[in-house]
Amino acid sequence: MIKTFKIIFITIIIFLTLDFSLGNLLIDTFKKKNIYITTEQTAKQNSINEKKFRIKDKNFSHTFKKNFKGTSFYGNKKNLICTNEHGFRKNCIKKNNPNNYDYFFIGDSFTEGVGLNYSETFVGIFEDKTKYNVANLGVSSYSPIIYYHKLKYFLDNGLKTKHVILYLDVSDVEDEIYRYECNKSVCYKDIKTQTNNKELNKIDYLKKSIKKNLKITFTVLKHTKNLLCINKLTSICYDIYDENFPRYSWINDFREYTNTNGVFKKPFDQNVFYLKKISNLLKVKNIEFSLAIYPWPGNILYNNDSDDYQNYWENFCNDKCDFFINHFQDFDALKDNKSNKQIIKANYFHGDVHFNETGNLFIANKLIKLIN
């Protein structure tokens, strides 16, 4: 037994030594042959690929390249993405009227449908099942200030629609912290994230050191962790399953975060301000307006109280929306027959906050039943 442990120990030392001294050389050698070993390389290549069609826009921050057809990568997921002459994501086969639509959908990455082909997204399913002429204006990292400027730009430039459905994300309030209006467009505040290394714990230091000096070892450990974490909804595996993950958990203390001294008072007020501007814009143009809200996995997993958040937007919609679409309630109804974990596993990508094919189909069917 002792001999076996010695062999294992020596093997590990040799592997780490080779990784430290020759790891970067090996990585670079494979890179020249377009073979990417580390997860960091893969992420970088995915980012480079996304820049082929994700572009800046002077009127509303960012959008898709017009008339594009190509491949998008989201993590380890690969899908086809096509856009029309306005830079709206669309069905790669179906043609529609590019200037006159029955519905505009707008939102962030959930509405864009990251990781999925258009026909698998809730917007694509809605379009296919209803046969309406639909435009998907949603793009990753959008928030209300961008929703408003993008809608205004296209409506002022001749595009027509009968109904706008806006999918509001729980993370939109945090995104608004970094954005403000200037020159009738969207600008970004120069806010730099500062990390105090003294506050990093020993595990953080170890991770950082391994990632920097033992890249192959770090990649092996990361893949091993992913294998061990299959189907596990714990914060040890993925931060998004942490009960206090800030991007979604703030709605559990909605009043505290949005009161006079609340952390999200200003960005939340900015959310409301631009949603009111959207409502007024559409009212002037005689266009119907509906607002939808939906949960992240953590909002389902922990049974925390998000009633104040839901009630706020329902009250907001009383005199501003044609429909208030509350998918929190839709998912709550599933709890009669399924556990919280079963609901998440069935409807979300594992280790991610976005809906999978099943989740998008569920959203689409609920939407069609309500407004069609």
Side-chain angles (χ1 to χ4, degrees):
M1 181 65 71
I2 295 176
K3 186 177 181 180
T4 302
F5 279 121
K6 283 183 177 179
I7 293 172
I8 293 173
F9 179 76
I10 292 171
T11 302
I12 292 172
I13 294 299
I14 292 172
F15 180 84
L16 293 176
T17 302
L18 289 173
D19 188 6
F20 181 79
S21 58
L22 300 174
N24 286 335
L25 179 61
L26 181 63
I27 290 169
D28 290 338
T29 300
F30 278 103
K31 183 180 179 181
K32 291 176 182 178
K33 298 180 181 181
N34 293 321
I35 299 173
Y36 304 104
I37 298 176
T38 69
T39 54
E40 189 175 19
Q41 282 182 314
T42 303
K44 185 176 180 179
Q45 287 305 118
N46 287 355
S47 177
I48 291 172
N49 179 73
E50 295 294 295
K51 290 179 181 179
K52 293 178 182 178
F53 59 91
R54 295 186 187 275
I55 60 174
K56 293 182 179 180
D57 186 276
K58 64 180 181 181
N59 299 294
F60 44 82
S61 179
H62 59 284
T63 187
F64 290 135
K65 185 177 180 180
K66 299 175 182 178
N67 298 312
F68 179 84
K69 183 176 182 180
T71 303
S72 175
F73 294 91
Y74 180 70
N76 60 358
K77 301 171 185 64
K78 177 181 176 181
N79 61 274
L80 189 64
I81 186 162
C82 296
T83 64
N84 66 8
E85 51 265 65
H86 303 300
F88 302 159
R89 191 176 183 193
K90 74 177 192 73
N91 188 303
C92 292
I93 300 174
K94 180 182 175 182
K95 292 183 178 180
N96 54 21
N97 187 326
N99 297 311
N100 196 347
Y101 297 92
D102 297 302
Y103 286 92
F104 277 1
F105 283 86
I106 193 163
D108 65 359
S109 52
F110 282 80
T111 305
E112 174 193 323
V114 292
L116 298 169
N117 293 317
Y118 183 80
S119 60
E120 299 168 321
T121 68
F122 75 86
V123 178
I125 296 168
F126 177 90
E127 179 180 8
D128 182 60
K129 286 192 172 186
T130 62
K131 307 305 177 185
Y132 285 125
N133 196 30
V134 170
N136 186 352
L137 283 69
V139 178
S140 293
S141 297
Y142 274 12
S143 63
I145 188 172
I146 300 177
Y147 302 152
Y148 169 73
H149 282 282
K150 187 167 188 175
L151 286 169
K152 187 175 189 305
Y153 174 81
F154 282 108
L155 292 174
D156 287 350
N157 281 275
L159 267 63
K160 298 184 183 301
T161 186
K162 300 173 185 175
H163 195 149
V164 171
I165 302 179
L166 192 156
Y167 268 73
L168 185 71
D169 192 80
V170 296
S171 68
D172 282 353
V173 67
E174 192 171 84
D175 291 337
E176 290 285 285
I177 293 173
Y178 308 97
R179 295 166 181 162
Y180 68 100
E181 185 164 344
C182 66
N183 300 321
K184 298 182 179 179
S185 185
V186 180
C187 293
Y188 286 77
K189 298 175 184 177
D190 185 19
I191 299 177
K192 297 180 180 179
T193 303
Q194 297 180 345
T195 303
N196 185 346
N197 291 329
K198 293 181 180 179
E199 294 179 358
L200 295 175
N201 57 41
K202 293 180 180 179
I203 293 177
D204 291 329
Y205 271 123
L206 182 61
K207 285 181 181 178
K208 189 175 180 179
S209 180
I210 293 174
K211 186 175 182 179
K212 180 180 179 180
N213 301 303
L214 302 168
K215 293 183 178 179
I216 294 177
T217 302
F218 181 81
T219 300
V220 170
L221 291 173
K222 193 173 182 68
H223 284 302
T224 301
K225 176 187 174 183
N226 289 341
L227 287 173
L228 294 174
C229 284
I230 290 176
N231 293 324
K232 292 183 180 179
L233 309 183
T234 65
S235 59
I236 295 175
C237 290
Y238 301 100
D239 289 343
I240 61 138
Y241 299 132
D242 189 325
E243 187 171 8
N244 297 311
F245 189 68
R247 294 279 278 176
Y248 80 84
S249 64
W250 71 274
I251 70 171
N252 303 325
D253 298 301
F254 176 76
R255 293 185 183 181
E256 180 179 341
Y257 271 85
T258 60
N259 67 22
T260 304
N261 299 312
V263 175
F264 285 163
K265 170 63 176 173
K266 288 184 178 179
F268 182 77
D269 286 349
Q270 185 163 302
N271 266 242
V272 176
F273 175 78
Y274 282 104
L275 289 174
K276 285 180 178 179
K277 291 196 74 168
I278 290 171
S279 174
N280 294 333
L281 170 69
L282 299 181
K283 191 172 293 184
V284 169
K285 294 181 179 292
N286 198 29
I287 298 170
E288 294 181 349
F289 173 52
S290 294
L291 180 68
I293 59 173
Y294 52 89
W296 277 26
N299 297 125
I300 296 172
L301 188 60
Y302 295 106
N303 285 320
N304 287 325
D305 184 7
S306 61
D307 287 350
D308 288 337
Y309 175 81
Q310 296 177 49
N311 291 336
Y312 181 90
W313 292 118
E314 184 173 10
N315 291 331
F316 173 90
C317 268
N318 282 340
D319 60 348
K320 298 178 182 67
C321 309
D322 288 271
F323 293 98
F324 173 61
I325 306 156
N326 189 347
H327 293 302
F328 279 83
Q329 293 180 351
D330 293 330
F331 280 98
D332 279 344
L334 295 177
K335 295 179 181 180
D336 293 338
N337 300 309
K338 295 181 179 180
S339 70
N340 295 349
K341 290 186 177 181
Q342 286 175 327
I343 294 170
I344 294 169
K345 289 178 180 179
N347 293 284
Y348 293 85
F349 290 129
H350 180 63
D352 193 88
V353 301
H354 297 93
F355 297 117
N356 60 20
E357 298 94 321
T358 303
N360 273 270
L361 178 60
F362 179 74
I363 291 289
N365 287 336
K366 290 295 181 180
L367 178 62
I368 292 169
K369 185 177 180 181
L370 177 64
I371 72 174
N372 188 28

